[in-house]
Amino acid sequence: MAAKKQISTEESTELLQILKNRFEKNKSRHENLDWTKIEEKLNSNPSKLWSLYQMENSGGEPDVVNYDEKTDEYIFFDCSAESPKGRRSFCYDREALDARKEHKPQNDVITAAKEMGVELLSEEQYRYLQSLGKFDLKTSSWIKTPKDIRELGGALFCDRRYNTVFIYHNGAESYYAARGFRGVLKV
């Protein structure tokens, strides 16, 4: 994790071009939004640009999916077709990671998300993402798990199979090569 949470001018220029190209290529995800306003907001929030850089570098392909008028925030989700490659094979949270006696994964999704400056998608957000396209046809993604489920040792994940979005449960300490997590960032 970077101490300053800032990227270089070159990295910023490159990332903004990637985000702009993705924005223009996927207009159906953000009809009626103006890239110029989004870019202005990003340029005035270097720590958010840093988080988007982390999302991009771990395979998330972040894109704008909504705008919240009440808070004046643009909402970015990881929009990669499959769960981001650089964030797979993690158990759910630090408690689950610490509980594993052997074959521990490299990290947990809650810690990784926090280090990136993002949050896990909720079930509602995941279903909204799926309304914008078809995601996780071969992989699955951990989602924000309600406290009462987590206290009982479980965690939730989702995927899309048979043209249907499914929500499942697993032990929080489990991890799989085809399961990662998707982040949300508000700018």
Side-chain angles (χ1 to χ4, degrees), residues 70-129:
K70 291 179 186 174
T71 61
D72 185 34
E73 292 175 310
Y74 293 97
I75 301 166
F76 287 80
F77 284 177
D78 284 307
C79 292
S80 54
E82 302 298 339
S83 196
K85 283 186 181 181
R87 296 185 240 150
R88 295 184 193 166
S89 297
F90 294 172
C91 59
Y92 185 74
D93 59 15
R94 185 58 56 181
E95 180 184 344
L97 181 63
D98 291 344
R100 288 195 68 93
K101 301 294 182 215
E102 55 185 33
H103 308 296
K104 289 187 179 214
Q106 290 184 340
N107 206 348
D108 66 89
V109 299
I110 299 297
T111 300
K114 186 176 181 181
E115 289 171 349
M116 293 171 61
V118 302
E119 292 185 24
L120 260 63
L121 293 181
S122 65
E123 179 182 355
E124 179 183 3
Q125 290 168 327
Y126 188 88
R127 290 186 184 281
Y128 179 72
L129 172 69

Short mmCIF file of all heavy atoms in Angstrom, two decimals, residues 70-129:
data_model
loop_
_atom_site.label_atom_id
_atom_site.label_comp_id
_atom_site.label_asym_id
_atom_site.label_seq_id
_atom_site.Cartn_x
_atom_site.Cartn_y
_atom_site.Cartn_z
N LYS A 70 -27.60 13.20 -4.89
CA LYS A 70 -27.65 13.68 -3.50
C LYS A 70 -26.25 13.98 -2.96
O LYS A 70 -26.04 14.96 -2.26
CB LYS A 70 -28.34 12.66 -2.60
CG LYS A 70 -29.81 12.51 -2.85
CD LYS A 70 -30.41 11.45 -1.94
CE LYS A 70 -31.87 11.18 -2.30
NZ LYS A 70 -32.42 10.07 -1.54
N THR A 71 -25.31 13.09 -3.27
CA THR A 71 -23.95 13.25 -2.74
C THR A 71 -22.99 13.83 -3.76
O THR A 71 -21.82 14.07 -3.43
CB THR A 71 -23.40 11.88 -2.26
OG1 THR A 71 -23.35 10.99 -3.37
CG2 THR A 71 -24.26 11.32 -1.15
N ASP A 72 -23.45 14.01 -5.01
CA ASP A 72 -22.62 14.50 -6.11
C ASP A 72 -21.39 13.59 -6.29
O ASP A 72 -20.26 14.05 -6.37
CB ASP A 72 -22.18 15.95 -5.87
CG ASP A 72 -21.41 16.53 -7.05
OD1 ASP A 72 -21.71 16.17 -8.21
OD2 ASP A 72 -20.48 17.34 -6.82
N GLU A 73 -21.67 12.27 -6.35
CA GLU A 73 -20.59 11.30 -6.51
C GLU A 73 -20.86 10.40 -7.72
O GLU A 73 -21.98 9.95 -7.94
CB GLU A 73 -20.48 10.40 -5.28
CG GLU A 73 -20.01 11.12 -4.04
CD GLU A 73 -20.02 10.22 -2.82
OE1 GLU A 73 -21.05 9.57 -2.56
OE2 GLU A 73 -18.99 10.18 -2.13
N TYR A 74 -19.78 10.14 -8.45
CA TYR A 74 -19.82 9.16 -9.53
C TYR A 74 -19.45 7.82 -8.93
O TYR A 74 -18.56 7.74 -8.07
CB TYR A 74 -18.85 9.54 -10.64
CG TYR A 74 -19.27 10.79 -11.35
CD1 TYR A 74 -18.72 12.03 -11.01
CD2 TYR A 74 -20.24 10.75 -12.35
CE1 TYR A 74 -19.13 13.19 -11.65
CE2 TYR A 74 -20.65 11.91 -12.99
CZ TYR A 74 -20.10 13.12 -12.64
OH TYR A 74 -20.51 14.27 -13.26
N ILE A 75 -20.12 6.77 -9.37
CA ILE A 75 -19.92 5.45 -8.79
C ILE A 75 -19.25 4.55 -9.82
O ILE A 75 -19.75 4.37 -10.93
CB ILE A 75 -21.25 4.85 -8.32
CG1 ILE A 75 -21.87 5.81 -7.28
CG2 ILE A 75 -21.06 3.45 -7.75
CD1 ILE A 75 -23.31 5.54 -6.96
N PHE A 76 -18.10 4.02 -9.45
CA PHE A 76 -17.33 3.10 -10.28
C PHE A 76 -17.46 1.69 -9.72
O PHE A 76 -17.36 1.50 -8.50
CB PHE A 76 -15.85 3.47 -10.27
CG PHE A 76 -15.50 4.70 -11.06
CD1 PHE A 76 -15.70 5.97 -10.53
CD2 PHE A 76 -14.94 4.60 -12.33
CE1 PHE A 76 -15.36 7.11 -11.25
CE2 PHE A 76 -14.60 5.71 -13.05
CZ PHE A 76 -14.81 6.98 -12.52
N PHE A 77 -17.65 0.73 -10.59
CA PHE A 77 -17.61 -0.69 -10.23
C PHE A 77 -16.51 -1.35 -11.06
O PHE A 77 -16.21 -0.90 -12.17
CB PHE A 77 -18.91 -1.42 -10.62
CG PHE A 77 -20.11 -1.18 -9.75
CD1 PHE A 77 -21.31 -1.78 -10.11
CD2 PHE A 77 -20.09 -0.40 -8.62
CE1 PHE A 77 -22.46 -1.59 -9.36
CE2 PHE A 77 -21.23 -0.21 -7.85
CZ PHE A 77 -22.42 -0.81 -8.22
N ASP A 78 -15.99 -2.47 -10.57
CA ASP A 78 -15.15 -3.33 -11.40
C ASP A 78 -16.07 -3.96 -12.44
O ASP A 78 -17.04 -4.62 -12.07
CB ASP A 78 -14.50 -4.43 -10.55
CG ASP A 78 -13.35 -3.93 -9.71
OD1 ASP A 78 -12.45 -3.30 -10.28
OD2 ASP A 78 -13.35 -4.18 -8.50
N CYS A 79 -15.76 -3.75 -13.69
CA CYS A 79 -16.62 -4.25 -14.77
C CYS A 79 -15.93 -5.29 -15.65
O CYS A 79 -16.36 -5.53 -16.78
CB CYS A 79 -17.11 -3.08 -15.62
SG CYS A 79 -18.26 -1.99 -14.76
N SER A 80 -14.88 -5.92 -15.15
CA SER A 80 -14.24 -6.98 -15.92
C SER A 80 -15.24 -8.12 -16.11
O SER A 80 -16.10 -8.35 -15.25
CB SER A 80 -12.99 -7.49 -15.19
OG SER A 80 -13.29 -7.88 -13.87
N ALA A 81 -15.14 -8.80 -17.24
CA ALA A 81 -16.09 -9.88 -17.55
C ALA A 81 -16.10 -10.93 -16.45
O ALA A 81 -17.15 -11.42 -16.04
CB ALA A 81 -15.76 -10.51 -18.89
N GLU A 82 -14.92 -11.27 -15.95
CA GLU A 82 -14.80 -12.25 -14.86
C GLU A 82 -14.23 -11.55 -13.64
O GLU A 82 -13.68 -10.46 -13.73
CB GLU A 82 -13.91 -13.42 -15.29
CG GLU A 82 -14.39 -14.17 -16.53
CD GLU A 82 -15.76 -14.84 -16.38
OE1 GLU A 82 -16.18 -15.10 -15.24
OE2 GLU A 82 -16.40 -15.10 -17.41
N SER A 83 -14.35 -12.18 -12.49
CA SER A 83 -13.82 -11.62 -11.25
C SER A 83 -12.35 -11.25 -11.46
O SER A 83 -11.60 -12.01 -12.07
CB SER A 83 -13.98 -12.66 -10.14
OG SER A 83 -13.84 -12.05 -8.89
N PRO A 84 -11.91 -10.08 -11.01
CA PRO A 84 -10.55 -9.61 -11.30
C PRO A 84 -9.46 -10.63 -10.95
O PRO A 84 -9.39 -11.11 -9.81
CB PRO A 84 -10.42 -8.35 -10.46
CG PRO A 84 -11.83 -7.85 -10.34
CD PRO A 84 -12.67 -9.10 -10.24
N LYS A 85 -8.62 -10.93 -11.93
CA LYS A 85 -7.57 -11.95 -11.77
C LYS A 85 -6.63 -11.68 -10.61
O LYS A 85 -6.21 -12.60 -9.93
CB LYS A 85 -6.77 -12.10 -13.06
CG LYS A 85 -7.49 -12.86 -14.12
CD LYS A 85 -6.60 -13.09 -15.33
CE LYS A 85 -7.37 -13.84 -16.38
NZ LYS A 85 -6.56 -14.11 -17.56
N GLY A 86 -6.29 -10.43 -10.40
CA GLY A 86 -5.33 -10.09 -9.35
C GLY A 86 -5.91 -10.10 -7.95
O GLY A 86 -5.22 -9.78 -6.98
N ARG A 87 -7.18 -10.50 -7.82
CA ARG A 87 -7.85 -10.51 -6.51
C ARG A 87 -8.56 -11.82 -6.25
O ARG A 87 -9.57 -11.85 -5.57
CB ARG A 87 -8.84 -9.36 -6.43
CG ARG A 87 -8.18 -8.02 -6.52
CD ARG A 87 -9.19 -6.93 -6.32
NE ARG A 87 -9.22 -6.09 -7.52
CZ ARG A 87 -10.27 -5.45 -7.94
NH1 ARG A 87 -11.40 -5.54 -7.32
NH2 ARG A 87 -10.20 -4.71 -9.02
N ARG A 88 -8.05 -12.89 -6.78
CA ARG A 88 -8.68 -14.20 -6.56
C ARG A 88 -7.88 -15.01 -5.55
O ARG A 88 -6.76 -14.66 -5.19
CB ARG A 88 -8.74 -14.97 -7.89
CG ARG A 88 -9.64 -14.32 -8.91
CD ARG A 88 -9.74 -15.18 -10.15
NE ARG A 88 -10.34 -14.45 -11.25
CZ ARG A 88 -10.31 -14.84 -12.51
NH1 ARG A 88 -9.71 -15.98 -12.82
NH2 ARG A 88 -10.87 -14.12 -13.45
N SER A 89 -8.49 -16.09 -5.12
CA SER A 89 -7.87 -17.01 -4.15
C SER A 89 -7.65 -16.36 -2.79
O SER A 89 -6.66 -16.63 -2.12
CB SER A 89 -6.56 -17.58 -4.69
OG SER A 89 -6.78 -18.33 -5.85
N PHE A 90 -8.57 -15.49 -2.38
CA PHE A 90 -8.53 -14.87 -1.06
C PHE A 90 -9.73 -15.39 -0.27
O PHE A 90 -10.81 -15.56 -0.82
CB PHE A 90 -8.68 -13.35 -1.14
CG PHE A 90 -7.55 -12.61 -1.80
CD1 PHE A 90 -7.68 -11.26 -2.07
CD2 PHE A 90 -6.36 -13.22 -2.17
CE1 PHE A 90 -6.67 -10.53 -2.68
CE2 PHE A 90 -5.33 -12.52 -2.78
CZ PHE A 90 -5.49 -11.16 -3.04
N CYS A 91 -9.54 -15.59 1.04
CA CYS A 91 -10.70 -15.89 1.89
C CYS A 91 -11.42 -14.57 2.20
O CYS A 91 -11.01 -13.51 1.72
CB CYS A 91 -10.29 -16.65 3.14
SG CYS A 91 -9.12 -15.80 4.19
N TYR A 92 -12.48 -14.62 2.99
CA TYR A 92 -13.35 -13.45 3.13
C TYR A 92 -12.74 -12.31 3.95
O TYR A 92 -12.72 -11.18 3.52
CB TYR A 92 -14.72 -13.84 3.69
CG TYR A 92 -15.66 -12.68 3.74
CD1 TYR A 92 -16.23 -12.19 2.57
CD2 TYR A 92 -15.96 -12.04 4.94
CE1 TYR A 92 -17.08 -11.08 2.59
CE2 TYR A 92 -16.81 -10.94 4.97
CZ TYR A 92 -17.36 -10.46 3.79
OH TYR A 92 -18.18 -9.37 3.81
N ASP A 93 -12.30 -12.59 5.18
CA ASP A 93 -11.81 -11.50 6.02
C ASP A 93 -10.62 -11.97 6.86
O ASP A 93 -10.22 -13.14 6.81
CB ASP A 93 -12.92 -10.90 6.90
CG ASP A 93 -13.58 -11.92 7.82
OD1 ASP A 93 -13.04 -13.03 8.02
OD2 ASP A 93 -14.66 -11.60 8.35
N ARG A 94 -10.03 -11.05 7.62
CA ARG A 94 -8.82 -11.36 8.41
C ARG A 94 -9.10 -12.43 9.45
O ARG A 94 -8.26 -13.30 9.68
CB ARG A 94 -8.31 -10.07 9.09
CG ARG A 94 -7.01 -10.24 9.83
CD ARG A 94 -5.86 -10.74 8.98
NE ARG A 94 -5.62 -9.88 7.84
CZ ARG A 94 -4.68 -10.08 6.93
NH1 ARG A 94 -3.86 -11.10 7.02
NH2 ARG A 94 -4.55 -9.27 5.90
N GLU A 95 -10.26 -12.40 10.06
CA GLU A 95 -10.62 -13.42 11.04
C GLU A 95 -10.58 -14.80 10.40
O GLU A 95 -10.06 -15.75 10.98
CB GLU A 95 -12.01 -13.13 11.61
CG GLU A 95 -12.47 -14.13 12.65
CD GLU A 95 -13.89 -13.85 13.13
OE1 GLU A 95 -14.42 -12.76 12.92
OE2 GLU A 95 -14.47 -14.78 13.73
N ALA A 96 -11.12 -14.91 9.21
CA ALA A 96 -11.13 -16.19 8.49
C ALA A 96 -9.71 -16.61 8.12
O ALA A 96 -9.33 -17.78 8.25
CB ALA A 96 -12.00 -16.10 7.25
N LEU A 97 -8.91 -15.66 7.67
CA LEU A 97 -7.52 -15.94 7.31
C LEU A 97 -6.74 -16.44 8.53
O LEU A 97 -6.02 -17.43 8.46
CB LEU A 97 -6.86 -14.69 6.72
CG LEU A 97 -5.42 -14.82 6.27
CD1 LEU A 97 -5.28 -15.83 5.13
CD2 LEU A 97 -4.89 -13.46 5.83
N ASP A 98 -6.91 -15.76 9.64
CA ASP A 98 -6.21 -16.15 10.87
C ASP A 98 -6.66 -17.50 11.39
O ASP A 98 -5.89 -18.22 12.03
CB ASP A 98 -6.40 -15.08 11.95
CG ASP A 98 -5.68 -13.78 11.63
OD1 ASP A 98 -4.79 -13.77 10.74
OD2 ASP A 98 -6.01 -12.75 12.26
N ALA A 99 -7.90 -17.88 11.11
CA ALA A 99 -8.44 -19.17 11.58
C ALA A 99 -7.88 -20.36 10.81
O ALA A 99 -7.90 -21.48 11.31
CB ALA A 99 -9.96 -19.16 11.49
N ARG A 100 -7.39 -20.12 9.62
CA ARG A 100 -6.84 -21.22 8.81
C ARG A 100 -5.54 -21.70 9.43
O ARG A 100 -4.64 -20.91 9.69
CB ARG A 100 -6.61 -20.79 7.37
CG ARG A 100 -7.91 -20.60 6.59
CD ARG A 100 -7.63 -20.51 5.11
NE ARG A 100 -7.18 -21.78 4.59
CZ ARG A 100 -7.95 -22.72 4.05
NH1 ARG A 100 -9.25 -22.52 3.97
NH2 ARG A 100 -7.44 -23.83 3.59
N LYS A 101 -5.43 -23.00 9.62
CA LYS A 101 -4.22 -23.57 10.21
C LYS A 101 -3.16 -23.87 9.15
O LYS A 101 -1.98 -23.79 9.39
CB LYS A 101 -4.55 -24.85 10.98
CG LYS A 101 -5.54 -24.65 12.10
CD LYS A 101 -4.97 -23.79 13.19
CE LYS A 101 -5.96 -23.64 14.32
NZ LYS A 101 -5.92 -22.35 14.95
N GLU A 102 -3.60 -24.22 7.95
CA GLU A 102 -2.66 -24.53 6.86
C GLU A 102 -3.26 -24.09 5.52
O GLU A 102 -4.45 -23.79 5.44
CB GLU A 102 -2.34 -26.02 6.83
CG GLU A 102 -3.54 -26.93 6.74
CD GLU A 102 -3.17 -28.40 6.83
OE1 GLU A 102 -2.21 -28.73 7.54
OE2 GLU A 102 -3.84 -29.20 6.17
N HIS A 103 -2.41 -24.04 4.52
CA HIS A 103 -2.81 -23.62 3.17
C HIS A 103 -3.50 -22.26 3.19
O HIS A 103 -4.55 -22.07 2.60
CB HIS A 103 -3.71 -24.67 2.51
CG HIS A 103 -3.16 -26.04 2.53
ND1 HIS A 103 -2.00 -26.39 1.86
CD2 HIS A 103 -3.57 -27.16 3.17
CE1 HIS A 103 -1.73 -27.66 2.07
NE2 HIS A 103 -2.67 -28.16 2.87
N LYS A 104 -2.87 -21.33 3.90
CA LYS A 104 -3.44 -19.98 3.98
C LYS A 104 -3.29 -19.27 2.65
O LYS A 104 -2.25 -19.33 2.02
CB LYS A 104 -2.75 -19.16 5.07
CG LYS A 104 -3.07 -19.60 6.47
CD LYS A 104 -2.48 -18.64 7.49
CE LYS A 104 -2.86 -19.12 8.88
NZ LYS A 104 -3.07 -18.04 9.80
N PRO A 105 -4.34 -18.56 2.23
CA PRO A 105 -4.21 -17.73 1.03
C PRO A 105 -3.33 -16.51 1.33
O PRO A 105 -3.02 -16.22 2.48
CB PRO A 105 -5.65 -17.32 0.73
CG PRO A 105 -6.36 -17.40 2.03
CD PRO A 105 -5.68 -18.50 2.81
N GLN A 106 -2.97 -15.78 0.29
CA GLN A 106 -2.10 -14.61 0.45
C GLN A 106 -2.76 -13.47 1.20
O GLN A 106 -2.09 -12.67 1.85
CB GLN A 106 -1.65 -14.09 -0.91
CG GLN A 106 -0.69 -14.99 -1.61
CD GLN A 106 -0.21 -14.36 -2.92
OE1 GLN A 106 -0.83 -13.47 -3.46
NE2 GLN A 106 0.91 -14.86 -3.40
N ASN A 107 -4.08 -13.37 1.10
CA ASN A 107 -4.76 -12.22 1.70
C ASN A 107 -6.23 -12.56 1.88
O ASN A 107 -6.68 -13.66 1.55
CB ASN A 107 -4.60 -10.99 0.80
CG ASN A 107 -4.70 -9.68 1.57
OD1 ASN A 107 -5.11 -9.64 2.73
ND2 ASN A 107 -4.32 -8.59 0.92
N ASP A 108 -6.98 -11.60 2.38
CA ASP A 108 -8.43 -11.72 2.48
C ASP A 108 -9.06 -10.53 1.76
O ASP A 108 -8.42 -9.50 1.59
CB ASP A 108 -8.88 -11.78 3.94
CG ASP A 108 -8.63 -10.49 4.68
OD1 ASP A 108 -9.51 -9.61 4.66
OD2 ASP A 108 -7.53 -10.33 5.27
N VAL A 109 -10.30 -10.70 1.31
CA VAL A 109 -10.91 -9.67 0.46
C VAL A 109 -11.20 -8.37 1.21
O VAL A 109 -11.06 -7.28 0.64
CB VAL A 109 -12.18 -10.18 -0.26
CG1 VAL A 109 -11.85 -11.33 -1.17
CG2 VAL A 109 -13.28 -10.56 0.70
N ILE A 110 -11.59 -8.44 2.47
CA ILE A 110 -11.90 -7.21 3.21
C ILE A 110 -10.64 -6.36 3.38
O ILE A 110 -10.66 -5.15 3.15
CB ILE A 110 -12.55 -7.53 4.58
CG1 ILE A 110 -13.87 -8.29 4.40
CG2 ILE A 110 -12.74 -6.26 5.40
CD1 ILE A 110 -14.95 -7.52 3.67
N THR A 111 -9.53 -6.99 3.74
CA THR A 111 -8.27 -6.26 3.89
C THR A 111 -7.79 -5.73 2.55
O THR A 111 -7.38 -4.57 2.45
CB THR A 111 -7.20 -7.18 4.52
OG1 THR A 111 -7.66 -7.60 5.81
CG2 THR A 111 -5.86 -6.46 4.66
N ALA A 112 -7.85 -6.56 1.51
CA ALA A 112 -7.40 -6.13 0.18
C ALA A 112 -8.22 -4.93 -0.31
O ALA A 112 -7.66 -3.97 -0.85
CB ALA A 112 -7.47 -7.28 -0.80
N ALA A 113 -9.52 -4.99 -0.13
CA ALA A 113 -10.38 -3.88 -0.55
C ALA A 113 -10.02 -2.60 0.21
O ALA A 113 -9.90 -1.52 -0.40
CB ALA A 113 -11.85 -4.24 -0.34
N LYS A 114 -9.84 -2.73 1.51
CA LYS A 114 -9.49 -1.56 2.33
C LYS A 114 -8.16 -0.97 1.88
O LYS A 114 -8.01 0.24 1.77
CB LYS A 114 -9.45 -1.95 3.81
CG LYS A 114 -9.23 -0.79 4.73
CD LYS A 114 -9.30 -1.21 6.18
CE LYS A 114 -9.10 -0.01 7.09
NZ LYS A 114 -9.14 -0.37 8.49
N GLU A 115 -7.18 -1.84 1.60
CA GLU A 115 -5.88 -1.38 1.15
C GLU A 115 -5.99 -0.63 -0.19
O GLU A 115 -5.21 0.28 -0.45
CB GLU A 115 -4.90 -2.55 1.01
CG GLU A 115 -4.47 -3.12 2.34
CD GLU A 115 -3.67 -4.41 2.23
OE1 GLU A 115 -3.61 -5.01 1.12
OE2 GLU A 115 -3.11 -4.84 3.26
N MET A 116 -6.94 -1.03 -1.02
CA MET A 116 -7.15 -0.38 -2.32
C MET A 116 -8.00 0.88 -2.20
O MET A 116 -8.11 1.64 -3.16
CB MET A 116 -7.86 -1.36 -3.27
CG MET A 116 -7.03 -2.55 -3.66
SD MET A 116 -8.02 -3.78 -4.56
CE MET A 116 -8.53 -2.85 -5.99
N GLY A 117 -8.63 1.09 -1.06
CA GLY A 117 -9.50 2.25 -0.88
C GLY A 117 -10.88 2.07 -1.49
O GLY A 117 -11.54 3.04 -1.84
N VAL A 118 -11.33 0.80 -1.61
CA VAL A 118 -12.64 0.50 -2.18
C VAL A 118 -13.43 -0.34 -1.18
O VAL A 118 -12.90 -0.77 -0.17
CB VAL A 118 -12.53 -0.24 -3.53
CG1 VAL A 118 -11.73 0.57 -4.54
CG2 VAL A 118 -11.93 -1.63 -3.38
N GLU A 119 -14.70 -0.58 -1.51
CA GLU A 119 -15.53 -1.48 -0.72
C GLU A 119 -16.00 -2.62 -1.60
O GLU A 119 -16.04 -2.48 -2.83
CB GLU A 119 -16.75 -0.73 -0.17
CG GLU A 119 -16.42 0.31 0.86
CD GLU A 119 -17.66 0.94 1.47
OE1 GLU A 119 -18.73 0.29 1.45
OE2 GLU A 119 -17.56 2.07 1.96
N LEU A 120 -16.36 -3.73 -0.98
CA LEU A 120 -16.96 -4.84 -1.73
C LEU A 120 -18.34 -4.43 -2.20
O LEU A 120 -19.04 -3.68 -1.51
CB LEU A 120 -17.14 -6.06 -0.80
CG LEU A 120 -16.12 -7.17 -0.89
CD1 LEU A 120 -14.75 -6.67 -0.50
CD2 LEU A 120 -16.55 -8.32 -0.02
N LEU A 121 -18.75 -4.97 -3.34
CA LEU A 121 -20.12 -4.75 -3.79
C LEU A 121 -21.07 -5.43 -2.81
O LEU A 121 -20.79 -6.52 -2.32
CB LEU A 121 -20.34 -5.35 -5.18
CG LEU A 121 -19.61 -4.73 -6.36
CD1 LEU A 121 -20.00 -5.45 -7.65
CD2 LEU A 121 -19.90 -3.26 -6.48
N SER A 122 -22.20 -4.80 -2.58
CA SER A 122 -23.28 -5.43 -1.82
C SER A 122 -24.05 -6.32 -2.78
O SER A 122 -23.86 -6.27 -4.00
CB SER A 122 -24.21 -4.36 -1.24
OG SER A 122 -24.86 -3.69 -2.31
N GLU A 123 -24.99 -7.11 -2.26
CA GLU A 123 -25.82 -7.93 -3.14
C GLU A 123 -26.60 -7.04 -4.10
O GLU A 123 -26.68 -7.33 -5.31
CB GLU A 123 -26.80 -8.79 -2.33
CG GLU A 123 -27.69 -9.64 -3.22
CD GLU A 123 -28.72 -10.47 -2.47
OE1 GLU A 123 -28.71 -10.49 -1.22
OE2 GLU A 123 -29.55 -11.11 -3.15
N GLU A 124 -27.15 -5.95 -3.61
CA GLU A 124 -27.92 -5.04 -4.46
C GLU A 124 -27.03 -4.46 -5.57
O GLU A 124 -27.44 -4.38 -6.73
CB GLU A 124 -28.51 -3.91 -3.60
CG GLU A 124 -29.29 -2.89 -4.39
CD GLU A 124 -29.81 -1.75 -3.52
OE1 GLU A 124 -29.51 -1.70 -2.31
OE2 GLU A 124 -30.50 -0.90 -4.08
N GLN A 125 -25.83 -4.04 -5.22
CA GLN A 125 -24.91 -3.49 -6.22
C GLN A 125 -24.49 -4.56 -7.23
O GLN A 125 -24.38 -4.27 -8.43
CB GLN A 125 -23.67 -2.90 -5.53
CG GLN A 125 -23.97 -1.64 -4.76
CD GLN A 125 -22.82 -1.23 -3.85
OE1 GLN A 125 -22.10 -2.07 -3.30
NE2 GLN A 125 -22.66 0.07 -3.67
N TYR A 126 -24.27 -5.78 -6.76
CA TYR A 126 -23.90 -6.87 -7.67
C TYR A 126 -25.03 -7.12 -8.66
O TYR A 126 -24.79 -7.29 -9.86
CB TYR A 126 -23.56 -8.14 -6.88
CG TYR A 126 -22.99 -9.22 -7.76
CD1 TYR A 126 -21.63 -9.30 -8.00
CD2 TYR A 126 -23.82 -10.17 -8.36
CE1 TYR A 126 -21.10 -10.28 -8.82
CE2 TYR A 126 -23.30 -11.16 -9.18
CZ TYR A 126 -21.94 -11.21 -9.40
OH TYR A 126 -21.42 -12.18 -10.24
N ARG A 127 -26.25 -7.15 -8.19
CA ARG A 127 -27.40 -7.36 -9.09
C ARG A 127 -27.53 -6.20 -10.07
O ARG A 127 -27.87 -6.40 -11.24
CB ARG A 127 -28.68 -7.58 -8.29
CG ARG A 127 -28.70 -8.93 -7.57
CD ARG A 127 -30.02 -9.22 -6.89
NE ARG A 127 -29.98 -10.44 -6.14
CZ ARG A 127 -30.09 -11.67 -6.65
NH1 ARG A 127 -30.25 -11.82 -7.96
NH2 ARG A 127 -30.03 -12.74 -5.88
N TYR A 128 -27.25 -4.98 -9.62
CA TYR A 128 -27.26 -3.84 -10.52
C TYR A 128 -26.19 -4.00 -11.61
O TYR A 128 -26.46 -3.78 -12.80
CB TYR A 128 -27.07 -2.53 -9.75
CG TYR A 128 -27.05 -1.32 -10.66
CD1 TYR A 128 -28.23 -0.87 -11.26
CD2 TYR A 128 -25.87 -0.66 -10.96
CE1 TYR A 128 -28.22 0.22 -12.13
CE2 TYR A 128 -25.86 0.42 -11.82
CZ TYR A 128 -27.03 0.86 -12.40
OH TYR A 128 -27.01 1.92 -13.27
N LEU A 129 -24.99 -4.39 -11.22
CA LEU A 129 -23.93 -4.65 -12.19
C LEU A 129 -24.41 -5.64 -13.24
O LEU A 129 -24.22 -5.43 -14.44
CB LEU A 129 -22.67 -5.18 -11.49
CG LEU A 129 -21.56 -5.66 -12.42
CD1 LEU A 129 -20.93 -4.50 -13.17
CD2 LEU A 129 -20.50 -6.43 -11.63
#
